[in-house]
Amino acid sequence: LWLVLEGLFGRLGAPLRAAASFGKAGTKKRAAYVALGLVLVLPVLLLVVPLLASADAVFSRLAGNALNFLVDHFGALLARLLLGLCAAPFLFSLLYFLRRPDREKKSAWAKEVPVKGVDPALSVTVLAVLDGVYLLFVAVQSAALFGGEAYLAGTGMSYAEYARSGFFQLVWVACIDLAVVVSAVHFSRREGKLWQVLRLLSTGMVALSGVMLVSAAWRMTLYVGSYGLSFKRFLTYWGMVMLAVFFAAALMKIWKKAFGFFRVFFAASVAGWLILNFINVDVLVARYNVDAYLSGNSAVMDLPYLAGLSYGTLAQLERLDGNMRVFDEAYWPDMDQYVLDTLLADRRSGAAEETAHWETWNLSAWLATRGD
């Protein structure tokens, strides 16, 4: 049993060393890497294409028939292929262990064939296929970005449906693209003309992902313009800004060999999280919604939600008419006399109770008791 376990898990690095040795045999054998790239890009396409199809109605019509054809005719084959890809490293490790059970021989062979990365033909194949799909999607998206209401009328969707149906999908696609670009640049050998092609394709993927982020931001802006800003919707904008920073770091990694992407990634993540915590998001949300209501751009105010975010929102809500009804009479007939002034008074009373004891005292509640 121990020998079987050692065989399955003890030679997992052998496929990488074998691939490095295989890549040195010449350009004629790069066709194998192209074929491997086509195999590896299939699972990515199975993730990306449905996300893109659900993000845009027109692209869904274009990709729906092709996707249904693949699932109907090759679904079982693709499932077996994915299972085989997962099992292949362990099976290769076991067979290699049976052929070379001596650890010293393995170490000597590893010194003869050092691993310096995968042949760039594999990454070029994956990036070329994905870039082609994204080019088609961006061409379709141009109709959405410049079509306006005429485009939405053709899809039969409202602003809310259009915004929510595509935003999260496009953000997920951008995350997948970032992982693919960083992996392709990090694990590929930096040599030959194919490396230059890889850099160009990676740059193209970053640019296409930027267009998708712009489209996602436009969708969320449509939604916020119709239904107001909330804490979660503000977080989506923050997430898109962080993705833009990560893509900029990936672009630097593509064209500068010594650039430390992961150091910048972790530093930017920590800095972005700290900035988010120092920004009073609740006050920004309340100010935006109150300004939109006072300017006439929004006819609806979710007063219980805004007042319940934090005590810092109370000063912003005081800019509204104190006789505004908090609850809709159609859904809350017993609360027709509950107005904004009463809601604010209740919230300030709760702040006074919190500041009365040192265990629950906090600065936001203390400022609310002072009327700030």
Side-chain angles (χ1 to χ4, degrees), residues 175-196:
C175 294
I176 294 173
D177 294 347
L178 182 63
V180 170
V181 169
V182 174
S183 300
V185 175
H186 183 74
F187 293 108
S188 298
R189 289 203 297 267
R190 300 170 179 260
E191 59 184 22
K193 295 182 179 179
L194 278 180
W195 169 246
Q196 302 301 325

Side-chain angles (χ1 to χ4, degrees), residues 134-299:
Y134 294 149
L135 277 174
L136 177 61
F137 180 78
V138 168
V140 174
Q141 279 289 288
S142 63
L145 290 173
F146 302 107
E149 295 183 0
Y151 175 83
L152 292 180
T155 59
M157 292 187 297
S158 64
Y159 275 119
E161 293 172 340
Y162 182 71
R164 291 187 65 84
S165 66
F167 169 78
F168 296 104
Q169 292 88 332
L170 293 179
V171 171
W172 275 111
V173 171
C175 294
I176 294 173
D177 294 347
L178 182 63
V180 170
V181 169
V182 174
S183 300
V185 175
H186 183 74
F187 293 108
S188 298
R189 289 203 297 267
R190 300 170 179 260
E191 59 184 22
K193 295 182 179 179
L194 278 180
W195 169 246
Q196 302 301 325
V197 175
L198 187 150
R199 298 169 80 179
L200 293 175
L201 290 174
S202 300
T203 303
M205 180 171 286
V206 171
L208 293 171
S209 301
V211 175
M212 294 182 191
L213 281 179
V214 171
S215 178
W218 179 70
R219 291 166 184 264
M220 184 52 62
T221 302
L222 284 178
Y223 192 78
V224 170
S226 299
Y227 297 95
L229 185 64
S230 67
F231 184 83
K232 291 182 178 179
R233 293 165 197 165
F234 184 89
L235 286 183
T236 59
Y237 283 113
W238 174 82
M240 286 186 287
V241 172
M242 295 304 299
L243 277 175
V245 173
F246 297 154
F247 274 114
L251 193 62
M252 294 292 293
K253 178 66 176 179
I254 293 170
W255 294 101
K256 288 190 176 182
K257 181 179 180 180
F259 184 80
F261 171 80
F262 292 102
R263 287 180 293 179
V264 174
F265 177 84
F266 288 115
S269 300
V270 173
W273 181 251
L274 291 176
I275 292 173
L276 179 66
N277 281 272
F278 276 102
I279 295 176
N280 200 333
V281 179
D282 293 343
V283 175
L284 293 178
V285 169
R287 182 185 297 121
Y288 176 89
N289 288 282
V290 170
D291 290 341
Y293 182 84
L294 294 177
S295 62
N297 295 327
S298 176

Side-chain angles (χ1 to χ4, degrees), residues 286-288 290-291 294 314-321 340:
R287 182 185 297 121
Y288 176 89
V290 170
D291 290 341
L294 294 177
L314 302 182
Q316 296 297 323
L317 295 178
E318 287 178 344
R319 297 162 53 195
L320 300 171
D321 184 4
L340 178 60

Side-chain angles (χ1 to χ4, degrees), residues 3-140:
L3 290 176
V4 172
L5 293 177
E6 184 179 1
L8 289 174
F9 300 98
R11 303 292 191 273
L12 289 178
L16 294 178
R17 289 189 293 271
S21 176
F22 181 74
K24 293 182 178 181
T27 57
K28 293 182 179 180
K29 293 188 177 181
R30 279 180 171 169
Y33 283 101
V34 174
L36 181 59
L38 293 175
V39 171
L40 294 178
V41 81
L42 285 177
V44 182
L45 290 177
L46 291 177
L47 290 175
V48 168
V49 173
L51 289 173
L52 296 178
S54 60
D56 189 271
V58 177
F59 186 82
S60 177
R61 297 191 189 101
L62 294 175
N65 295 332
L67 186 62
N68 291 334
F69 177 82
L70 290 176
V71 172
D72 294 339
H73 294 80
F74 302 101
L77 177 62
L78 292 176
R80 295 191 189 101
L81 181 61
L82 290 176
L83 181 62
L85 288 176
C86 294
F90 303 99
L91 181 59
F92 192 100
S93 174
L94 179 61
L95 295 177
Y96 184 80
F97 175 74
L98 295 175
R99 180 66 179 85
R100 297 169 180 256
D102 192 354
R103 288 181 178 273
E104 295 182 358
K105 291 184 178 180
K106 171 196 176 270
S107 301
W109 183 76
K111 292 179 181 179
E112 294 176 1
V113 187
V115 178
K116 294 183 180 180
V118 182
D119 193 288
L122 189 150
S123 300
V124 166
T125 303
V126 174
L127 292 172
V129 174
L130 292 177
D131 282 351
V133 174
Y134 294 149
L135 277 174
L136 177 61
F137 180 78
V138 168
V140 174

